[in-house]
Amino acid sequence: MKNKEVINQQVEDTFKVLDSIEEVKVNHFFKHKVLQQINVEKAEKKSIFYWFTPKLQLATLCILLLLNFGTIFYLFNNSVDNTNTVSGIDAFAQEYSLQSENNSILN
């Protein structure tokens, strides 16, 4: 019984508070000012790569993939006759005259 009385008292207090609420008076240009501030903030927040649109990203990706596939295709289809060519180290040594016939330390 005591619990119900406490709850009823709280409900009545709540209704009294609701009766005391009055209309808030706001400046007529408040909405306009807030919207202007929001638009100014949006205009300042441009990304560094705003020009790098999805279309340009797709075109760049396609070009890179074509270059990679072309390089791989060139490497695997480049037939080298091993009988007429010299290995990489031997060719380097011949090009820069690093081969010698004698075993002298003072070459």
Side-chain angles (χ1 to χ4, degrees):
M1 292 287 183
K2 189 177 179 184
N3 243 355
K4 287 184 179 183
E5 290 175 4
V6 171
I7 292 175
N8 285 335
Q9 182 64 31
Q10 289 177 350
V11 169
E12 287 177 17
D13 291 341
T14 305
F15 283 127
K16 286 179 185 175
V17 169
L18 289 176
D19 290 337
S20 67
I21 294 177
E22 296 178 6
E23 181 181 351
V24 178
K25 295 180 182 176
V26 180
N27 187 355
H28 297 290
F29 299 106
F30 178 74
K31 179 182 173 186
H32 182 67
K33 289 178 184 178
V34 170
L35 290 176
Q36 278 185 339
Q37 288 178 352
I38 290 173
N39 287 335
V40 167
E41 288 177 6
K42 283 183 183 177
E44 291 176 0
K45 293 183 180 179
K46 280 195 173 182
S47 174
I48 296 172
F49 297 108
Y50 68 93
W51 54 270
F52 200 51
T53 61
K55 288 181 182 178
L56 188 58
Q57 292 173 4
L58 183 63
T60 305
L61 179 67
C62 290
I63 290 172
L64 287 174
L65 287 175
L66 283 173
L67 286 173
N68 285 334
F69 286 134
T71 304
I72 291 170
F73 182 76
Y74 175 76
L75 287 175
F76 285 120
N77 286 335
N78 190 9
S79 60
V80 177
D81 188 14
N82 289 335
T83 58
N84 293 335
T85 60
V86 183
S87 70
I89 295 174
D90 292 336
F92 181 80
Q94 282 179 348
E95 184 71 28
Y96 291 102
S97 302
L98 298 175
Q99 290 179 335
S100 67
E101 298 298 323
N102 56 14
N103 294 331
S104 173
I105 297 175
L106 301 174
N107 257 359

